[in-house]
Amino acid sequence: MLRKPAPAIVPLRSRIQTRIIKKYPNRRLYDTAASRYVTLAEMRQLVVDGASFKAVDAKSGEDITRGVLLQIILEAEAGGAPMFTEDMLAHIIRFHGHAMQGFMGAYLEKNIQALLEIQAQMTERAEQLRGELARGQALKPEAWVQFMGLQSPLMQGLMGKYLEQSKTLFVQMQKQMIDQAGQTLAAFGVKRSS
């Protein structure tokens, strides 16, 4: 008897509709939109496709989306070329419970956003080049040299902007920490020195 293949997950690209994923005590994930069980690999694909979802514990209704996302990262890190070094993971662990914990999340998020902007600009430039090729304009060696020559200043400009944003964010975080420390000391009657 032939079994029907499971239907593919159709990603919901709209942020308006949020797909609900229920996690059962047996650790299985159930996609309520597709009416079927899904794997972590399929959940990863939802993330890659930009689908909006919320994972909930089937019994308690508790939001466990972050936990599922962390599981996806753990599985990806274990299977192949890891993104995070042991040193980086150790540093992340050390930030938990540290005064900088709240700032670190925002810092990392802003840096990832800056990298995404760089990627978008590089993709746009590559699309322009592809458009020229599609119009039948042969890419002569001189044109390739010119394209590569433009990439260096573009990358320098993008990386400079990225580094400047990163520096600015770090300075802002440092100022907030100093202000918070001053407020905490003031609460104990300790005056801040200039």
Side-chain angles (χ1 to χ4, degrees):
M1 179 160 117
L2 292 173
R3 293 178 69 193
K4 280 185 174 179
I9 291 179
V10 178
L12 299 175
R13 297 194 186 276
S14 168
R15 292 276 174 197
I16 296 169
Q17 283 187 299
T18 300
R19 190 172 245 169
I20 302 297
I21 307 295
K22 292 184 178 182
K23 186 172 186 179
Y24 287 92
N26 62 3
R27 298 180 9 193
R28 293 188 73 187
L29 299 166
Y30 186 79
D31 182 346
T32 59
S35 300
R36 68 181 193 90
Y37 288 99
V38 292
T39 65
L40 277 178
E42 290 170 314
M43 292 298 300
R44 179 190 175 282
Q45 191 58 51
L46 284 174
V47 173
V48 170
D49 291 342
S52 178
F53 70 86
K54 179 179 179 181
V56 296
D57 181 274
K59 190 173 184 179
S60 68
E62 177 188 358
D63 185 347
I64 57 170
T65 307
R66 289 185 74 250
V68 170
L69 292 170
L70 286 167
Q71 281 184 291
I72 292 168
I73 291 170
L74 180 62
E75 189 172 277
E77 286 288 303
M83 182 184 301
F84 302 112
T85 64
E86 289 177 20
D87 284 343
M88 183 176 178
L89 291 171
H91 288 303
I92 291 171
I93 290 167
R94 287 183 193 113
F95 273 108
H96 281 274
H98 187 275
M100 291 281 292
Q101 179 178 342
F103 301 111
M104 183 51 93
Y107 179 77
L108 291 173
E109 193 168 338
K110 296 249 186 231
N111 277 284
I112 288 173
Q113 186 60 43
L115 285 172
L116 290 172
E117 289 172 13
I118 290 170
Q119 181 185 25
Q121 290 177 7
M122 293 294 292
T123 301
E124 181 182 327
R125 180 63 185 125
E127 288 295 322
Q128 289 172 351
L129 180 64
R130 195 174 84 189
E132 291 171 13
L133 290 172
R135 288 189 300 273
Q137 297 172 351
L139 190 59
K140 298 176 185 168
E142 300 84 30
W144 182 250
V145 169
Q146 182 184 9
F147 173 73
M148 292 308 289
L150 291 173
Q151 295 310 305
S152 181
L154 177 64
M155 279 304 290
Q156 288 173 357
L158 292 174
M159 289 307 290
K161 178 182 171 190
Y162 164 73
L163 290 173
E164 188 59 37
Q165 287 175 342
S166 183
K167 177 183 170 187
T168 302
L169 183 60
F170 185 77
V171 169
Q172 289 173 348
M173 287 175 21
Q174 188 177 25
K175 184 182 178 323
Q176 286 176 340
M177 285 184 59
I178 290 169
D179 291 346
Q180 285 181 350
Q183 290 170 0
T184 302
L185 292 173
F188 290 108
V190 178
K191 290 186 180 181
R192 205 165 120 188
S193 62
S194 299

